Amino acid sequence: MANSSAVHLQRAPALVIRLPEGVDFALPLAGPMARFLALLVDFLVEMAICYVLGTVLQVLAVLSFDVMRALFVLMYFLVPMLYGVVCEWWLRGQTIGKRMMRLRVMDATGLRLRFSQVLLRNLLRPVDSLPACYLVGGAAFFLSRRGQRLGDLAAGTIVVRLPEDDDEPDLSPLGETGKYNSLSDHPVLAARLRQRVPAAEAAAALAALARRNQLEPAARVEVFARLAARFRALVTFPEESAADLSDEAYVRNVADLVFRRPALPERFKLQAPSLKEAPKG
Amino acid sequence: MSGYLALLGSSFEFFCLVILDLERFALAGQPHWDELEATLQRLENDPDRGFHDLAAAQRFHYLYQRAASDLGRLASFSAETSLRRRLEGLVARAYAELHSAREARDTRWRPLVWLLETFPRTFRRHAGAWWLAVAVTLLGSVVGAFLVAADPEAKASLLPFGHGEMNPSERVAKEEAGRSKGLANRRSSFAAELMANNIRVSLKAVAFGLTWGIGTLAILFYNGVILGGVMLDYLRAGEGLFLAGWILPHGSTEIPAIVLGGQAGLMLARGVIGWGARVPLGRRLRAIAPDVATIIGGLALLLVWAGIVESFLSQYHEPVLPYWLKITFGVANLAILGAWLFLCGRGPTPED
C-alpha cells in the first residue's frame, strides 16, 4: 500500500479506506447476527453436501466396504474444513451463506484477497469455536474495532456488508412525479443545492415528509421550519420562487430537487462518446 | 500551448461539473468507468496475465485515478447513491489490483516449484521456531518417560489409544502369532482416520499459536509425553526392535509433521507477540500469513503419506514383514525428509 494511504475506523461500524489520491470510501462491516446466520446457512450447506456425497459413496460398498468407510471418514473431515476455503477463494470472498446474507470477506487494507489469507482464516476456526459455539470468536468480534474473530485477525481479513441493490429511498412522500416545482426554474441554484445538501439532511427531510401526518401540529411546524431554514441557508433562491412557499412546501421542493432526477446511467449510455476521445496515459 | 488549452478546458469542465451539471459529469465519466470495469473484469478473471505492455498499464492507472477523482467530486451529492456506489466499487477494485501487484507478481501455483523450493525455503526461514518445537517435544518425551518409569500406574492415565492398559510383550506376542484382530478388512478406513486425526491435531497446534503460543507449546509437550511414555514402556519390556519396526515407518513422517504444525503455531505466536518488530499487530500477522499457509500445506502432505504408511506398512509385523525392512524404510523415509527440508531449494531464489 502506498505510504500516503491510510486505513482507519469511523465511529460508524465501517472501515474507511483513504486512497493516496485523497478519496475516502467506506466499507460497512458485517454485524454479528448476519455473520451468525451466514454460518448457519453454510453449516446446512455442508450437511447437504455430505448427505449427497454420502449417498453416492454408498454405491462403493458393493466393491469394498472398507474403501467406502475411508471415504466417509475423509468426507466428514474435509468438507467442513475445505468448504469455506474453496468457496471463499472461487467466489471471491463469499460462501453460499455469505452470499445470501450479502457479506464478503475482504483484505483489511482493501487489497486483493490472497489464498493464504482465505486458508488461514478458515483453518483457525478451531480456536474461534472454543470452548463451544464460537464463544472465543464472538468475544474477539466484540472486542475488535473491525469486528474480526481471531482467524480474521491472523489472516488480516474483515467481513463487509454489501449494499442492497434496492436501497434507493422511498420517494412516495414527495407526491406525484412531474408536479410543478418553482425551485427548478433556477437550474444553476438547483444544481448547487443538490451538491450542498448533506446526505443525512436530505434523508431527514424525506423522513419528515413521510411522517408529517403523525406529528403534533406544533411539532410539525417546528420541524419543517428548522429544515427550511437550514436549506435556505445553503442556497438562496430568488424571492419570486421561494417567498410564497410554506416551510413544508419548501422542504418538499428541496427534497424533490435532490432526490428526483432521471436515472443517470441509461441516459448516458445512449449518449456516451467514443472511447477514443479519452486522453491516453 | 495545447497543454495550456487542455488544462483550461479541463478546469472549465471541472467548474461546470462541480457547480452545474451532474449529467454532464456522468456523461464525461461513463466511457472511462465502462473501460475501467472491462479492464478490471479481465484482470480479475486472469490475474496472472497482467498487462501486455507499459501503455496498457499506464492507461489502467489513468482510468483508476480518473475514477477516484470522479468519486471525490461526487462525494458532496447526497442523492446519487447508485452512481456513487458504482464508482466506489470500481475504485476499490482498481485500488486492490494496483497495490496488490506489488505484493504478488505471479500468483500461479506451480506444484513442483512449491514442493522443491517454496516449502523447504519457508521451513528454513523459520528454523528457530522448528528447533524450539523439537525441543519442547523432546522435553515432553523425557517427562513422559520419567513419569511412566517413576510411577507405572500413571501409564493408564497418561497414554491414550489403549496403550495405557496394554502390556507391550503380550501385544508383540499376539501380533507376531497373527492372533491380533489387527486391521483385517479395515486398512483404508484406518488410514483415513489416522490422516484426519493427525491433521486435526497439527492444525490445532497451528491455530493455538494465537494464544501467544501457549496452546501450541502445550500440544507439542503433551504429544512428547505420549511418545516418551510409549517408548519407555516398550523399551522396558525389551521390545525395542518391535517398537522401532512399528514406529519408524510412519513416525519418521508423522512426528516431524506434527512438529511442523508446532513450528507454524510458533511463527503465528511470534507475529502475535511481535518481538523486535515495531509494526502493528495486523501488519505483523499479514507478513507471516503466507509462510504459515505454506507450512500447513507441507504438513498436510506429510500426514497423508504418514497415514498411508501407518495403515499399509506399520501395522504388519514379523513374520509378514521383517523388522529390518521396516526399520530401513523408516530410516530412508527420515533421510529423504531431512534432505527435502534442509537441502532442497538451496539455489538462488527468484528474488536474487
Side-chain angles (χ1 to χ4, degrees), chain A residues 120 153-155, chain B residues 126 129 206 209-213 263-289 292:
Chain A
L120 214 53
L153 201 67
Chain B
H126 302 280
V206 180
L210 285 177
T211 59
W212 294 275
Q263 179 190 19
L266 292 175
M267 286 157 62
L268 213 50
R270 184 173 181 162
V272 173
I273 296 165
W275 273 316
R278 291 180 179 274
V279 287
L281 172 70
R283 212 181 293 172
R284 293 198 303 265
L285 290 173
R286 185 184 171 79
I288 206 75
V292 173

Side-chain angles (χ1 to χ4, degrees), chain B residues 34-78:
Chain B
D34 288 343
E35 189 185 348
L36 181 60
E37 174 100 60
T39 311
L40 282 168
Q41 198 71 46
R42 189 180 61 76
L43 283 174
E44 287 165 355
N45 288 340
D46 188 4
D48 299 317
R49 218 174 109 195
F51 296 102
H52 52 83
D53 59 18
L54 183 63
Q58 284 177 326
R59 177 73 181 159
F60 176 64
H61 189 240
Y62 163 76
L63 291 170
Y64 159 69
Q65 287 194 314
R66 183 174 171 128
S69 159
D70 289 344
L71 179 61
R73 288 180 200 175
L74 200 65
S76 53
F77 286 87
S78 55

Side-chain angles (χ1 to χ4, degrees), chain B:
Chain B
M1 183 64 184
S2 63
Y4 174 74
L5 285 175
L7 184 66
L8 195 66
S10 67
S11 301
F12 176 71
E13 183 188 48
F14 176 76
F15 176 79
C16 292
L17 292 176
V18 170
I19 302 300
L20 287 176
D21 201 343
L22 191 64
E23 295 176 27
R24 191 169 164 184
F25 162 76
L27 180 66
Q30 184 77 27
H32 298 90
W33 305 333
D34 288 343
E35 189 185 348
L36 181 60
E37 174 100 60
T39 311
L40 282 168
Q41 198 71 46
R42 189 180 61 76
L43 283 174
E44 287 165 355
N45 288 340
D46 188 4
D48 299 317
R49 218 174 109 195
F51 296 102
H52 52 83
D53 59 18
L54 183 63
Q58 284 177 326
R59 177 73 181 159
F60 176 64
H61 189 240
Y62 163 76
L63 291 170
Y64 159 69
Q65 287 194 314
R66 183 174 171 128
S69 159
D70 289 344
L71 179 61
R73 288 180 200 175
L74 200 65
S76 53
F77 286 87
S78 55
E80 299 304 328
T81 47
S82 57
L83 187 57
R84 186 163 56 238
R85 198 184 306 140
R86 185 187 176 203
L87 276 177
E88 278 182 349
L90 280 176
V91 170
R93 286 161 64 196
Y95 171 79
E97 288 299 328
L98 269 173
H99 293 277
S100 301
R102 294 178 185 177
E103 293 199 339
R105 282 177 298 175
D106 189 351
T107 56
R108 264 174 296 188
W109 188 65
R110 298 181 182 88
L112 262 185
V113 173
W114 183 88
L115 198 68
L116 298 176
E117 292 181 20
T118 311
F119 175 72
R121 275 181 187 146
T122 307
F123 165 79
R124 291 196 296 272
R125 217 170 20 249
H126 302 280
W130 161 263
W131 289 118
L132 180 58
V134 169
V136 173
T137 306
L138 285 177
L139 181 68
S141 303
V142 172
V143 171
F146 173 77
L147 289 175
V148 170
D151 179 12
E153 300 301 316
K155 188 179 125 178
S157 52
L158 270 180
L159 308 183
F161 312 121
H163 291 295
E165 294 79 33
M166 202 181 287
N167 181 318
S169 298
E170 281 177 18
R171 183 197 167 191
V172 173
K174 215 186 247 184
E175 296 276 4
E176 291 182 351
R179 283 184 285 115
S180 168
K181 287 178 193 167
L183 295 171
N185 300 323
R186 62 179 209 93
R187 290 192 191 282
S188 302
S189 49
F190 183 61
E193 281 164 17
L194 289 170
M195 285 174 207
N197 180 62
N198 289 334
I199 292 176
R200 209 173 279 129
V201 169
S202 303
L203 288 181
K204 269 188 187 163
V206 180
F208 282 104
L210 285 177
T211 59
W212 294 275
I214 296 166
T216 302
L217 293 175
I219 288 175
L220 289 172
F221 184 80
Y222 180 60
N223 212 43
V225 167
I226 297 170
L227 199 64
V230 170
M231 283 170 73
L232 187 93
D233 198 28
Y234 276 76
L235 289 174
R236 205 167 46 174
E239 303 295 350
L241 189 65
F242 175 89
L243 177 75
W246 167 47
I247 295 281
L248 261 178
H250 69 276
S252 56
T253 317
E254 183 185 289
I255 297 165
I258 294 173
V259 178
L260 275 174
Q263 179 190 19
L266 292 175
M267 286 157 62
L268 213 50
R270 184 173 181 162
V272 173
I273 296 165
W275 273 316
R278 291 180 179 274
V279 287
L281 172 70
R283 212 181 293 172
R284 293 198 303 265
L285 290 173
R286 185 184 171 79
I288 206 75
D291 285 357
V292 173
T294 301
I295 298 288
I296 290 173
L299 75 87
L301 202 64
L302 286 175
L303 287 173
V304 168
W305 174 240
I308 294 168
V309 172
E310 181 164 9
S311 186
F312 293 95
L313 183 70
S314 296
Q315 304 300 333
Y316 287 101
H317 307 286
E318 276 189 346
V320 180
L321 270 180
Y323 290 132
W324 67 263
L325 185 67
K326 293 176 72 180
I327 292 170
T328 308
F329 178 87
V331 171
N333 213 14
L334 196 60
I336 292 168
L337 179 66
W340 180 37
L341 292 177
F342 290 98
L343 300 177
C344 273
R346 280 208 171 269
T349 61
E351 287 76 21
D352 297 332

Side-chain angles (χ1 to χ4, degrees), chain A residues 79-252:
Chain A
V79 169
M81 196 175 76
L82 296 182
Y83 165 79
V85 178
V86 173
C87 281
E88 285 176 9
W89 183 240
W90 287 106
L91 301 177
R92 291 190 189 136
Q94 288 187 304
T95 57
I96 293 169
K98 286 192 178 74
R99 185 163 276 200
M100 282 177 71
M101 302 308 299
R102 301 192 62 78
L103 307 180
R104 185 187 289 279
V105 179
M106 285 191 65
D107 180 277
T109 57
L111 299 185
R112 192 196 292 155
L113 199 60
R114 292 174 297 171
F115 181 73
S116 60
Q117 291 177 296
V118 172
L119 185 76
L120 214 53
R121 78 179 296 279
N122 280 289
L123 294 188
L124 294 184
R125 283 186 191 278
V127 185
D128 280 307
S129 60
L130 282 175
C133 304
Y134 277 84
L135 275 179
V136 166
F141 174 91
F142 286 108
L143 290 173
S144 158
R145 291 188 308 151
R146 295 172 181 176
Q148 292 168 296
R149 60 175 177 83
L150 292 180
D152 283 321
L153 201 67
T157 52
I158 51 168
V159 183
V160 298
R161 184 168 41 82
L162 301 175
E164 296 285 341
D165 291 331
D166 56 350
D167 65 350
E168 293 294 329
D170 174 19
L171 300 185
S172 57
L174 299 179
E176 298 163 15
T177 313
K179 193 174 170 184
Y180 175 66
N181 182 345
S182 58
L183 303 185
S184 64
D185 291 342
H186 309 279
V188 174
L189 296 176
R192 189 173 293 160
L193 182 75
R194 271 192 209 108
Q195 183 186 345
R196 288 185 179 174
V197 175
E201 288 175 17
L206 203 58
L209 288 165
R211 293 176 196 165
R212 58 188 152 186
N213 293 329
Q214 296 159 20
L215 297 173
E216 293 289 330
R220 181 169 172 169
V221 169
E222 190 185 342
V223 164
F224 283 104
R226 282 190 183 189
L227 283 169
R230 169 69 182 147
F231 294 142
R232 283 190 174 108
L234 291 175
V235 175
T236 308
F237 281 85
E239 283 279 314
E240 69 270 18
S241 296
D244 294 341
L245 294 173
S246 67
D247 288 337
E248 193 170 314
Y250 191 86
V251 171
R252 184 256 163 212

